[in-house]
Amino acid sequence: VALASLIATGAAAAAPAEPPVASVTVTGAPPPTTPAITYAPPKVVDQKDNQLVCRTEPVLGTRLPVRRCRSVGDMKDRTLNDRQMVEHVQENLQLRSN
């Protein structure tokens, strides 16, 4: 019984307390803002890109399929990356064969 009460009081004492919030008031001119440098346009987030799609895919060497869930945006990114990789490899093979 003593051990249970010790554990209960230890768990209550170990609970993290809310961190203190500091408020800072700055008077005077606002700090200068520098424009953000971007090299590529920001990606437009479509509502459909966040939709989760699950597929059952076969696995080599077993009869048990695996269920994989990905968002539509991740699938688009992966197909684009795969396509670019294949094109890169094909270009390098053509350069070496000549």
Side-chain angles (χ1 to χ4, degrees):
V1 176
L3 181 62
S5 64
L6 180 63
I7 292 173
T9 58
E18 291 292 323
V21 178
S23 63
V24 177
T25 306
V26 178
T27 58
T33 59
T34 57
I37 298 174
T38 57
Y39 295 100
K43 184 178 177 182
V44 177
V45 178
D46 188 12
Q47 293 293 340
K48 193 173 183 180
D49 285 348
N50 294 330
Q51 184 178 4
L52 195 63
V53 176
C54 295
R55 290 184 176 175
T56 304
E57 299 176 354
V59 178
L60 185 65
T62 181
R63 292 181 185 221
L64 300 175
V66 173
R67 185 172 185 179
R68 298 190 187 202
C69 299
R70 295 186 181 100
S71 67
V72 174
D74 289 341
M75 292 172 65
K76 286 180 184 177
D77 290 342
R78 185 172 180 151
T79 55
L80 177 65
N81 188 22
D82 291 347
R83 185 178 305 126
Q84 289 175 346
M85 183 70 77
V86 169
E87 289 174 359
H88 176 72
V89 169
Q90 288 175 346
E91 287 174 4
N92 286 338
L93 287 177
Q94 289 175 356
L95 292 176
R96 289 183 184 174
S97 65
N98 290 334

